[in-house]
Amino acid sequence: MRTSPALRRKLISAAAVSAALLTAASTASAVAAQEPVSPASAVPTAQTEAAPGAPAERLIVGYKSGATEATSNAAAEADAAAKGKEAGEDVDFQRRLGTGAALVDLGQDLTRTDVADVVAQYQADPQVAYVVPDRLNKPKADPNDTEYAKQWDLFESTAGMNVPGAWSTTTGTGVTVAVIDTGYVAHTDLAANIVGGYDFIADTTVSVDGDGRDSNPADPGDYYAANECGSGIPASNSSWHGTHVAGTIAAVTNNSKGVAGIAYGAKISPVRVLGKCGGYDSDIIDAITWASGGTVSGVPANSNVAKVINMSLGGDGACTSATQSAITAAVNRGTTVVVAAGNENDNVANHSPGNCNNVISVAATNRTGAKASYSNYGSLVDISAPGGQTSTGTANGILSTLNSGTKTPSTENYTYYQGTSMATPHIAGLVALLKSANSSLTPAQIETAIKNNARALPGACSGGCGAGLADAAKTVAAVTGSGGSTGTTFSSTTAVAIPDNGSAITSSIAVSGLSGNAPSTLKVAVDITHTYRGDLVVDLVAPDGSTYRLKSSSTSDSADNVNTTYTVDASTEAANGTWKLKVQDVAAQDTGTLNSWKLTF
């Protein structure tokens, strides 16, 4: 019979842990190149879990060639018992694997600490080559949708959003997403996920459907002739824009046709505000209000209240008080509002609603994970997501549901589009997954989770692309308690001048009130003004002096400024203490300033 762990516990010196094995077990996706870490390290979570949040019940132990335990089951059994006794656990040899490794059983009801004690005992043994948890694997079959292989934006390791890894936990069931856009044109790969919406276009010149507001959000087409929408503006075919957006969010999936939706268990409420030449703020404001469960005079109450609003639309200028009021009210009703940053390759501060408060403002990345050439940028961008870039090849766009009609509806089809309009539904779909997985989440908590679990852009972004590239699987794991980071932020806003080709400067942040080690996904957000940023070397210095390289110098990087978020595997570092950012200019002719930086645990 197993005795109480409290009575059997024997503390293991962390110094006995093999640094080589710890390095091998580090998270492979950590962005920053890392200097040697402190030897006093706890056993990483990855070496104690069979699945996220589930302590291992078995370990696989590989012995070095020549060790008696490598060939003798009796010796391996005796070693398991001895290791268990030292750790205060019952450890039993089970069998020999085909590779020669030993499978040992730890029993049930162990905590991560219990498992870590046993792992540490094996790691401290010079005759042990490796010890790893017997991990639990799950089927990860791709959807059977015929065009899924073309949806690089969902699954590619370089610049995809890691969506398939979230589907074993959530598909968005129970969540309605309002797509405030051009309406919906019938498509069999979407129809099963469409619920009632509304047509808010009051001006019949814009609506081109013969009437004003009504309960039919069908998209009749938004084509226009040359100069019809302004002098010098060329003719344009119908875009079926809202249908393309809706397909990215919630196309029917595993139906042996077409594309897969990010939150394919969710429902889409099409809310029509854009018609010929665009749409008015007044209609959009009413649409935001109604979609989120508010009251609009003359419009029936919404029976499909949305917890997510997608607005892949925008215009120039500041966010007006009228629009901001509608957005704030929607958020206060519990609806997360996701908006496009815009496609002008300009600072989003100049474009609404991407510059409004209380929204998730989304920039677009291309297939290499760099900022798409057209995407807006800036400090008001919250997150980046795949938006595609067809100038490098049509297949590098975002494939989704559409219609072949050039003016009025014709046959359904699938087409590649690019834009922040395409990036935005990736985040709206992710919000639906999160809300479905944890219905208690507020809009603010959802935004924080998405930002804190993003990964650094694999490509370049000048000007600011938010917290990085959204990661669906990691964010879902965070809000369901099976991994990731929920985020506590510490910051320094004291500006420090960076001398030209001079000594390194440092800025400090004191971290306190946390327990244990820093996460494997520590976010380091840096805001530096500096011409020719290739001159700069940037390091994160942990409380014990360990150094993590965030940015190396480069003679070919002539862009200005460093305004980005790095992800560092700092799981071997104590969270509490004084962290430093070290910046050095290693070439002549340019000076700059470290404006601010922050750490998110």
Side-chain angles (χ1 to χ4, degrees), residues 17 21 98 101 179 229 234 296 361 423 442 488 495 561:
V17 179
L21 283 176
V179 175
C229 294
V296 176
S361 185
T442 66
T488 300
N561 308 328

Side-chain angles (χ1 to χ4, degrees), residues 274-455:
L274 302 179
K276 179 174 284 190
C277 304
Y280 287 103
D281 278 356
S282 54
D283 291 339
I284 295 170
I285 288 167
D286 280 351
I288 294 169
T289 303
W290 180 85
S292 60
T295 300
V296 176
S297 179
V299 178
N302 184 4
S303 59
N304 297 295
V305 174
K307 289 304 178 184
V308 191
I309 285 176
N310 187 105
M311 290 199 293
S312 293
L313 50 81
D316 296 339
C319 179
T320 67
S321 298
T323 298
Q324 185 63 68
S325 178
I327 290 171
T328 299
V331 171
N332 288 342
R333 284 188 283 268
T335 298
T336 301
V337 181
V338 187
V339 303
N343 302 328
E344 293 79 19
N345 189 27
D346 186 24
N347 196 311
V348 69
N350 302 318
H351 304 275
S352 176
N355 57 8
C356 293
N357 295 324
N358 298 322
V359 301
I360 300 178
S361 185
V362 186
T365 52
N366 60 27
R367 198 166 181 173
T368 67
K371 182 185 85 70
S373 61
Y374 54 80
S375 177
N376 286 349
Y377 51 83
S379 61
L380 295 182
V381 169
D382 293 302
I383 195 69
S384 294
Q389 190 162 329
T390 56
S391 63
T392 59
T394 301
N396 292 335
I398 305 300
L399 186 67
S400 189
T401 47
L402 212 74
N403 193 279
S404 63
T406 57
K407 292 185 177 180
T408 57
S410 182
T411 56
E412 65 179 45
N413 65 0
Y414 302 87
T415 301
Y416 290 98
Y417 272 1
Q418 67 172 21
T420 54
S421 282
M422 285 57 257
T424 305
H426 284 77
I427 301 302
L430 173 53
V431 174
L433 293 177
L434 299 176
K435 192 68 176 175
S436 177
N438 185 344
S439 62
S440 67
L441 291 172
T442 66
Q445 289 171 330
I446 287 171
E447 179 177 346
T448 296
I450 291 173
K451 290 179 178 180
N452 288 346
N453 293 285
R455 64 185 191 270

Side-chain angles (χ1 to χ4, degrees), residues 69-152:
E69 295 86 352
T71 54
S72 167
N73 289 354
E77 183 173 4
D79 190 44
K83 295 290 194 299
K85 183 178 181 180
E86 287 296 310
E89 305 294 342
D90 293 337
V91 182
D92 300 311
F93 171 80
Q94 293 294 297
R95 61 185 172 86
R96 187 76 59 178
L97 303 187
T99 59
L103 179 67
V104 298
D105 182 73
L106 306 178
Q108 299 178 345
D109 302 323
L110 272 72
T111 66
R112 176 182 175 271
T113 302
D114 296 335
V115 179
D117 283 356
V118 179
V119 170
Q121 282 293 323
Y122 276 108
Q123 288 179 333
D125 186 342
Q127 295 302 311
V128 172
Y130 61 84
V131 55
V132 296
D134 189 11
R135 296 187 305 190
L136 181 66
N137 294 270
K138 297 181 179 180
K140 291 189 175 180
D142 287 340
N144 62 22
D145 303 76
T146 55
E147 303 299 310
Y148 175 71
K150 300 175 183 178
Q151 293 182 274
W152 61 267

